[in-house]
Structures are given as structure tokens and as C-alpha cells.
């Protein structure tokens, strides 16, 4: 397997859409961590990614050789009153977890968010996802609330923790 140092974190591009779709589908089908329980069809995923690129939303993938093994994206909210904020999603296929890749992906996406003027990055994480919560807190996310029984997968309820990180922007009117 490719070592961590050999894995590249790169902005998403059209050529990585198939790989992103495959990685997203694999993590979704674990039925443990994501809201999605399977990826949307490839063509919908393609439209989503091309929209992210066009609107300048941060989206990065981790590449082991040419395989997409993880992703992190931040979608800016559409309504003007919320457009200073964006929602983060991420995932890594099982064999590549726990090696620091999550942190590299997250830091790349947060840096891009700051550069593009996203002041508030929000996310929702299942309360039993201790590794993800630890990672988010390490990079500065703060717990803002608990949504009780927010998730039900195969009859199992889970609480969700809402977290956010603020990028303070100087000289805002
Ligand atoms: C969550 C996820 C993105 C984290 O990425 P990762 O590459 O596995 O995590 P990292 O190796 O960067 O490590 C995260 C940190 O949490 C720590 N950690 C790992 N397991 C932990 C646990 N069970 N409890 C507490 N902390 C833990 C690590 O020590 C590490 O800290 P360090 O950088 O100081 O060593 C990845 O595991 C994943 O994709 N999981 C499945 C999908 C998912 O949960 N997506 C997020 C949905 S909100």
C-alpha cells in the first residue's frame, strides 16, 4: 500500500470524479459515518463536483498513486444571509484511516475556505464517531449543540454533534 508520505492532497478536478464517487460510495455503504447510505448516481455526483469547481468551493481529494482514497469538501450556503458559512464533509476509505490523512485533507480545505472568504465552517458528526470528533477539535472546531436521535440507521439511533470553526475576517462592514 502507498505510504502516507506518498499520498498527495490535490484540489478536485474532472479527472478525479469517478474515483471520488467510488470512495464516497464505499464509505457511505459502511452505514456508520455519513448521512448518505450510498453515493448519488455518478452523473449527479459529476454535476455536484463540477458545480463545486465552478463556484470555487473548496474540495480536495487524497490520491494514492491514481486512486482517490479520501476527500474533504466545504459547500458555501446559497442564501445570502448564510453565504459567509459553509458545510464540511469528508471521508477516507478504511485502509487509509488513522495515518494522519484526515488532518492533511482538513487543513487543505480549511486553508482554501479561509482564502475564499468562508468565515464559518459547520459540520455535523455522529456522537459515536470519536476519531472524527477528536480530529475536528484538534484543528479548532467547537461543539455548538447536540441533536438527539438525529440519525437512524438500520433501527439504531444516534445523536449528532453540531460543530463549527470561525475564521475571523478583519474589517468586515
Ligand atoms: C474521520 C476521519 C476523516 C479521520 O481521518 P484519519 O486520517 O483517520 O484521522 P487522523 O489519522 O488524521 O487522526 C485524527 C486524530 O484523532 C486521533 N484519534 C484516532 N482515533 C481516535 C479515537 N478513537 N478517539 C480519539 N482520538 C482518536 C488520532 O490520534 C489523531 O490525532 P493526532 O493527529 O494528534 O495523532 C476518517 O477516519 C474517516 O474517514 N472515517 C470514516 C468517515 C467519517 O467518519 N467521516 C466524517 C464524518 S463527520
Amino acid at each position: 500500500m502507498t505510504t502516507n508520505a506518498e499520498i498527495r492532497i490535490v484540489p478536485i478536478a474532472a479527472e478525479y470524479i469517478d474515483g471520488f464517487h467510488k470512495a464516497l460510495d464505499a464509505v457511505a455503504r459502511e452505514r456508520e459515518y455519513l448521512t448518505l447510505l450510498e453515493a448519488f448516481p455518478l452523473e449527479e455526483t459529476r454535476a455536484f463536483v463540477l458545480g463545486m469547481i465552478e463556484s470555487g468551493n473548496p474540495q480536495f481529494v487524497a490520491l494514492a498513486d491514481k486512486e482517490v482514497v479520501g476527500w474533504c469538501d466545504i459547500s458555501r450556503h446559497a442564501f445570502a444571509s448564510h453565504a459567509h458559512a459553509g458545510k464540511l464533509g469528508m471521508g477516507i476509505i478504511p485502509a487509509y484511516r488513522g495515518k494522519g490523512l484526515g488532518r492533511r485533507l482538513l487543513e487543505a480545505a480549511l486553508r482554501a475556505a479561509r482564502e475564499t472568504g468562508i468565515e464559518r465552517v459547520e459540520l455535523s458528526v455522529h456522537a459515536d464517531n470519536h476519531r472524527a470528533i477528536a480530529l475536528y477539535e484538534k484543528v479548532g472546531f467547537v461543539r455548538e449543540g447536540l441533536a438527539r436521535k438525529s440519525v437512524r440507521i438500520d433501527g439504531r439511533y444516534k445523536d449528532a454533534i453540531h460543530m463549527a470553526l470561525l475564521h475571523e475576517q478583519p474589517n468586515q462592514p
Side-chain angles (χ1 to χ4, degrees):
M1 196 195 350
T2 317
T3 64
N4 190 16
E6 293 166 330
I7 295 173
R8 293 187 301 134
I9 308 291
V10 299
I12 191 131
E15 65 192 287
Y16 306 129
I17 292 174
D18 285 13
F20 164 64
H21 179 259
K22 195 171 159 208
L24 171 62
D25 195 54
V27 178
R29 284 176 190 274
E30 290 180 67
R31 307 176 74 81
E32 200 60 63
Y33 306 108
L34 304 187
T35 302
L36 286 180
L37 300 179
E38 58 185 277
F40 288 114
L42 179 58
E43 286 318 308
E44 280 180 51
T45 303
R46 189 181 310 284
F48 166 76
V49 172
L50 294 176
M52 292 288 280
I53 294 171
E54 198 181 314
S55 50
N57 281 336
Q59 184 168 16
F60 288 82
V61 289
L63 292 178
D65 195 8
K66 287 186 178 139
E67 185 191 5
V68 174
V69 298
W71 76 90
C72 183
D73 55 53
I74 301 174
S75 301
R76 193 189 274 275
H77 293 311
F79 290 114
S81 58
H82 286 243
H84 64 296
K87 176 134 194 189
L88 182 141
M90 71 182 300
I92 295 169
I93 63 172
Y96 289 86
R97 291 177 193 156
K99 304 171 193 298
L101 206 50
R103 194 173 188 131
R104 289 174 61 199
L105 274 165
L106 194 49
E107 284 173 351
L110 289 174
R111 199 175 311 118
R114 184 187 283 273
E115 283 164 11
T116 189
I118 297 177
E119 295 169 55
R120 174 182 159 87
V121 182
E122 306 166 344
L123 61 84
S124 170
V125 56
H126 298 171
D128 62 353
N129 194 347
H130 303 294
R131 176 155 57 193
I133 294 165
L135 174 61
Y136 297 142
E137 287 184 330
K138 271 178 193 160
V139 300
F141 280 85
V142 169
R143 295 170 194 234
E144 292 189 331
L146 180 76
R148 294 167 299 158
K149 284 193 166 180
S150 174
V151 177
R152 196 180 80 152
I153 301 174
D154 301 326
R156 288 177 300 138
Y157 291 93
K158 295 182 189 215
D159 297 342
I161 299 174
H162 293 310
M163 305 182 81
L165 174 148
L166 297 182
H167 287 147
E168 302 299 345
Q169 301 281 318
N171 306 322
Q172 287 291 306

